[in-house]
Amino acid sequence: MVMVIMGILGGGGFSLPVAEAIEIVEVDLVVTEAAKIAMQTAMGDDLSTHALVISADAGGCSGYMYDMQIIPRPLGDEWQTVTIDNVAVMVHNRDSVLLNGIQIDFRDSLLGGGFQIGNPNADRACGCGKSFG
Amino acid sequence: MTPPSEQEMLGRPVHIRIELSSTVLEGKGALNLVHRITTQKLDDMQEGAVRNTFICDSVGRAIDYLSVWKLSDQILLSGLPTSSNSFRNILQKAVSWKDEIEIMIGDSSLVNLILTGRHIERSIIGIGLDPDDISGTNYSQFGTAYIRRTKPVLNHSAFHLIGPASAVEEIEGKLQENGATSLDISFWDYFRVQSGILGAGEIDGTNIPFELDAAEDISLTKGCYPGQEIHARMESRGKLARIMTKFSTNDNLVVGTHKTVSGGRIKITSLTSPTDSKTETKHGLGLVKPELIGKQLEMLDGSILTLPKP
């Protein structure tokens, strides 16, 4: 027998939480030479069509985790673009307060290598360096 | 005539309306979002599953204690009403630009019932459910309401039922037709404390789940979540500085930290006054060093607390 589980909505009476006002700041990024080279290498032939999107996702030991993705350039007023040596680095307004002023470095190492982010807005960071809060 | 004691109240099946917050999440990635920010592994939950989890701050202190109900296309989170603002604030901030998640508040739409007492199973059978089919990890659906088994209340089986107000009202009527009695919420705090069930006093943002005897609601293999580093360190040490205990006293004490004459201390998190006129004994929950468990504590003001043996 297949049990169909109904959603609990349907009777009405639910309310949406009051929308939280999002603070938006103009994002500034500090990028080392090593990180600039690594970004250009990662972008390859997609420099003109794609962007490196840096995000702060909820989770990790300290509350937020960094995420970096190369995706087709997102459109819309909610995005900020910082161009670094022809690489479009984009940050969503929602993450602007958390990511403004971050220092991006690149470490070429087999263990613990890759992009490293230092965040002046973070009160704390977890041991692996991927989470901050 | 002397009113019945709390113990006598549970000599029959009872149902009690309790206050919990209800938050419903809808949209792609909703379960994963809750998985990422809470202590329990949730990302493998299937429809019909229900699990308990804590939401903690970055130093591992419990901000809310949630039941996560995996519905078909929604996630229902029931938590403590005193923590709902903090929890919802965290939840709202946690939604990323990548998510398409809607957060809805159902506090005024959904009603929570605790079903317990002697022979509660008979009343549950009477309303058309088989209690043996209801577990603590998989809920059963009853019309538009859901029911799961919870921690026993004073050694009686207990069930948590949640549903829209009209459906719950109908169920209450059917329970009463099947021998159950409605009890006022004022009894719940006593039952909860006596049964070691966590409430607002324990989940106030200052205590760590391990201290609250809730290790089963923490997964140290799921990966990172806020507070995980602290929890992992506590677990690896294998020893807690303080643990939760029940206690009883005939003296007048208040919630807060109290020192003993021998230099120890107890942090009283919950204290209930008896509605039973036959006794003046109050019961409570508190946090003490493990070596104090089972002892009688004399406080600086002369009050005496008795901590039962584990």
Side-chain angles (χ1 to χ4, degrees):
Chain A
M1 188 181 86
V2 177
M3 184 171 74
V4 179
I5 306 223
M6 289 159 51
I8 204 151
L9 283 181
F14 281 79
S15 60
L16 295 173
V18 177
E20 181 201 7
I22 301 167
E23 192 188 347
I24 301 168
V25 298
E26 196 176 328
V27 173
D28 186 29
L29 305 173
V30 180
V31 185
T32 65
E33 285 306 313
K36 286 177 187 172
I37 294 166
M39 281 178 184
Q40 283 186 325
T41 306
M43 295 293 288
D45 296 333
D46 296 329
L47 269 176
S48 58
T49 54
H50 287 57
L52 174 65
V53 173
I54 307 177
S55 311
D57 292 345
C61 300
S62 300
Y64 291 95
M65 294 178 296
Y66 299 109
D67 183 43
M68 294 174 97
Q69 293 179 10
I70 293 172
I71 57 171
R73 286 187 192 182
L75 302 172
D77 293 343
E78 66 274 26
W79 290 95
Q80 296 187 38
T81 306
V82 180
T83 306
I84 297 164
D85 286 4
N86 297 324
V87 176
V89 181
M90 298 182 75
V91 173
H92 194 275
N93 277 341
R94 203 180 164 87
D95 298 332
S96 62
V97 169
L98 291 167
L99 298 180
N100 180 36
I102 57 170
Q103 295 125 24
I104 307 169
D105 189 15
F106 184 84
R107 201 184 305 157
D108 190 6
S109 162
L110 285 176
L111 271 180
F115 286 103
Q116 314 286 319
I117 296 179
N119 193 334
N121 308 304
D123 295 328
R124 57 194 173 270
C126 88
C128 66
K130 289 179 180 159
S131 174
F132 69 100
Chain B
M1 199 176 102
T2 311
S5 70
E6 287 86 350
Q7 302 277 357
E8 289 163 347
M9 284 286 191
L10 291 185
R12 54 192 163 164
V14 299
H15 56 93
I16 311 164
R17 282 195 183 208
I18 60 165
E19 286 178 14
L20 291 174
S21 72
S22 299
T23 309
V24 176
L25 269 61
E26 199 172 82
K28 195 179 157 199
L31 184 64
N32 194 265
L33 175 72
V34 185
H35 169 82
R36 290 202 314 267
I37 62 171
T38 66
T39 61
Q40 186 58 277
K41 182 169 171 58
L42 304 173
D43 59 350
D44 59 346
M45 284 177 80
Q46 302 293 315
E47 283 180 31
V50 55
R51 288 182 197 163
N52 296 335
T53 190
F54 286 94
I55 186 154
C56 294
D57 64 16
S58 60
V59 289
R61 295 174 298 205
I63 294 169
D64 202 354
Y65 187 43
L66 303 163
S67 300
V68 182
W69 309 64
K70 175 74 175 77
L71 315 182
S72 59
D73 52 2
Q74 293 168 338
I75 310 296
L76 167 63
L77 307 167
S78 48
L80 293 164
T82 44
S83 307
S84 62
N85 284 345
S86 310
F87 160 61
R88 285 174 184 150
N89 192 24
I90 292 170
L91 197 60
Q92 225 166 20
K93 283 184 176 161
V95 176
S96 147
W97 61 267
K98 293 174 231 172
D99 298 318
E100 290 166 17
I101 298 170
E102 197 166 28
I103 303 170
M104 289 159 281
I105 297 171
D107 295 352
S108 55
S109 310
L110 299 175
V111 173
N112 293 273
L113 277 190
I114 291 290
L115 281 58
T116 188
R118 191 159 176 253
H119 300 319
I120 186 62
E121 287 88 351
R122 287 185 195 169
S123 300
I124 289 175
I125 291 167
I127 65 170
L129 285 170
D130 183 348
D132 291 338
D133 289 343
I134 308 171
S135 77
T137 53
N138 286 287
Y139 61 83
S140 296
Q141 188 161 9
F142 187 60
T144 52
Y146 307 111
I147 184 168
R148 71 176 294 200
R149 198 174 280 268
T150 61
K151 197 169 178 175
V153 173
L154 289 167
N155 299 321
H156 296 287
S157 300
F159 302 85
H160 173 197
L161 184 140
I162 183 168
S166 56
V168 172
E169 209 166 300
E170 199 178 315
I171 291 166
E172 286 174 312
K174 286 181 182 170
L175 284 167
Q176 284 166 24
E177 284 167 18
N178 286 279
T181 305
S182 171
L183 281 190
D184 186 77
I185 192 172
S186 56
F187 288 95
W188 173 242
D189 212 32
Y190 175 87
F191 296 150
R192 171 186 86 70
V193 165
Q194 280 282 69
S195 310
I197 295 171
L198 302 177
E202 291 70 46
I203 312 293
D204 66 348
T206 64
N207 304 315
I208 292 173
F210 281 116
E211 299 172 330
L212 302 172
D213 193 22
E216 73 273 16
D217 298 321
I218 294 173
S219 166
L220 291 173
T221 56
K222 66 172 267 190
C224 293
Y225 58 81
Q228 184 262 349
E229 279 190 326
I230 304 295
H231 294 168
R233 211 174 299 154
M234 286 180 92
E235 199 267 346
S236 70
R237 235 182 359 230
K239 192 179 156 194
L240 293 167
R242 54 183 198 170
I243 55 172
M244 190 173 77
T245 179
K246 296 175 209 169
F247 67 84
S248 57
T249 182
N250 289 331
D251 295 312
N252 289 319
L253 281 159
V254 291
V255 166
T257 301
H258 302 265
K259 287 183 179 169
T260 68
V261 290
S262 56
R265 64 176 61 194
I266 180 166
K267 179 184 173 186
I268 297 177
T269 53
S270 292
L271 196 60
T272 64
S273 299
T275 52
D276 169 15
S277 61
K278 292 176 200 164
T279 173
E280 290 185 355
T281 304
K282 304 170 191 77
H283 295 272
L285 292 172
L287 293 162
V288 292
K289 283 186 174 176
E291 53 266 32
L292 296 181
I293 299 290
K295 292 188 176 164
Q296 197 169 65
L297 306 182
E298 186 182 351
M299 314 313 293
L300 286 180
D301 66 358
S303 307
I304 301 291
L305 267 72
T306 306
L307 278 53
K309 289 191 168 58

